[in-house]
């Protein structure tokens, strides 16, 4: 069973704050993804990566940066957090196009 | 632009009934359609998936019906159980020559009443 972990599980910050969300997968998957989940919008892709050092822009990238430091670790950075970024964030990983995508447990972020 | 749409947004059925969740898509290049199931407090997990070369995929009580011409698919859950109460996401991807991005619908919240 693929394992994807996220930290922190909950985070509260203020407008303008600096936040880093962490994701680690231990199954040597090439592809890693960051999504946000909001009621009425489903899961929307923020950024993704094909491997260490690679970064691809997703569908809702504004206000977010990401970095893939190793095969295992993918970080999402909010340098000037805004209330519109209050959401549930999921990290996911997989090996290929037809492969199952494994999701982490999520991080709930609140920006006051 | 919502490339994958789901209906209804929410659905309530009685235990033992068949729940039907609908999905449509716009991009004819999509060729692989996984459905994910999400319980409260958890991340989504793969439930069942179909490739565009097939028109039906069964796995126990879960069946996907796929209509390529109309760009529609549906998930049928027969003999629904209270434990099936969850949010279901239809997703689509260009598995052949694509960019490995899944596009998700908005989700359908299913409630099964005992």
């Amino acid at each position: 069973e693929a394992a994807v972990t996220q930290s922190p599980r909950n985070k509260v910050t203020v407008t303008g704050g600096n936040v880093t969300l962490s994701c680690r997968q231990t199954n040597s998957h090439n592809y890693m993804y960051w999504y946000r989940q909001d009621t009425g919008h489903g899961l929307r892709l923020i950024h993704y990566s094909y491997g260490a050092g690679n970064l691809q822009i997703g569908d809702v990238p504004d206000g977010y940066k990401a970095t893939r430091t190793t095969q295992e670790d993918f970080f999402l950075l909010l340098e000037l957090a805004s209330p519109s970024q209050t959401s549930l964030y999921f990290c996911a990983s997989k090996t290929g196009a037809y492969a199952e995508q494994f999701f982490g447990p999520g991080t709930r972020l609140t920006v006051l | 632009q919502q490339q994958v749409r789901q209906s209804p947004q929410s659905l309530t059925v009685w235990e033992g009934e068949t729940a039907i969740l609908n999905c449509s898509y716009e991009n004819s290049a999509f060729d692989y359609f996984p459905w994910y199931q999400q319980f409260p407090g958890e991340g989504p997990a793969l439930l069942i998936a179909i490739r565009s070369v097939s028109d039906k995929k069964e796995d126990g009580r879960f069946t996907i019906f796929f209509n390529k011409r109309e760009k529609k698919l549906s998930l049928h859950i027969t003999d629904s159980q209270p434990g099936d109460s969850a949010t279901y996401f239809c997703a689509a991807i260009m598995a052949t020559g694509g960019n490995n991005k899944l596009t998700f619908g908005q989700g359908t919240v299913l409630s099964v009443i005992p």
Side-chain angles (χ1 to χ4, degrees), chain A residues 31 33 37 48 50 59 97 101, chain B residues 36 38 43-44 99-101:
Chain A
Y31 304 101
Y33 306 84
Q37 182 176 6
Y48 61 111
Y50 293 156
D59 300 320
Q101 189 159 304
Chain B
Y36 282 79
Q38 183 183 30
N99 52 15
N100 278 296
K101 284 174 44 177

Side-chain angles (χ1 to χ4, degrees), chain B residues 7-25:
Chain B
S7 65
Q9 284 189 318
S10 63
L11 176 64
T12 300
V13 300
W14 293 100
E15 182 175 355
E17 290 187 333
T18 296
I20 300 175
L21 289 66
N22 299 303
C23 179
S24 63
Y25 62 97

Side-chain angles (χ1 to χ4, degrees), chain A residues 12-30:
Chain A
V12 179
T13 190
V14 296
T15 299
N18 196 320
V19 177
T20 298
L21 306 184
S22 302
C23 176
R24 166 164 282 203
Q25 54 95 4
T26 58
N27 290 276
S28 301
H29 288 170
N30 293 332

Side-chain angles (χ1 to χ4, degrees), chain B residues 9-13 19-21 77 80-82 84-88 108-112:
Chain B
Q9 284 189 318
S10 63
L11 176 64
T12 300
V13 300
I20 300 175
L21 289 66
I77 306 174
S80 296
Q81 301 298 308
D84 296 330
S85 297
T87 300
Y88 292 81
T108 293
V109 179
L110 175 66
S111 299
V112 181

Side-chain angles (χ1 to χ4, degrees), chain A residues 3-66:
Chain A
V4 181
T5 57
Q6 294 183 234
S7 62
R9 296 294 312 277
N10 290 281
K11 177 73 176 179
V12 179
T13 190
V14 296
T15 299
N18 196 320
V19 177
T20 298
L21 306 184
S22 302
C23 176
R24 166 164 282 203
Q25 54 95 4
T26 58
N27 290 276
S28 301
H29 288 170
N30 293 332
Y31 304 101
M32 295 186 74
Y33 306 84
W34 276 109
Y35 295 90
R36 60 178 290 173
Q37 182 176 6
D38 305 285
T39 303
H41 293 279
L43 291 153
R44 292 183 289 176
L45 182 65
I46 304 170
H47 290 299
Y48 61 111
S49 169
Y50 293 156
N54 176 267
L55 181 65
Q56 303 294 318
I57 296 174
D59 300 320
V60 289
D62 292 347
Y64 302 96
K65 292 184 179 179

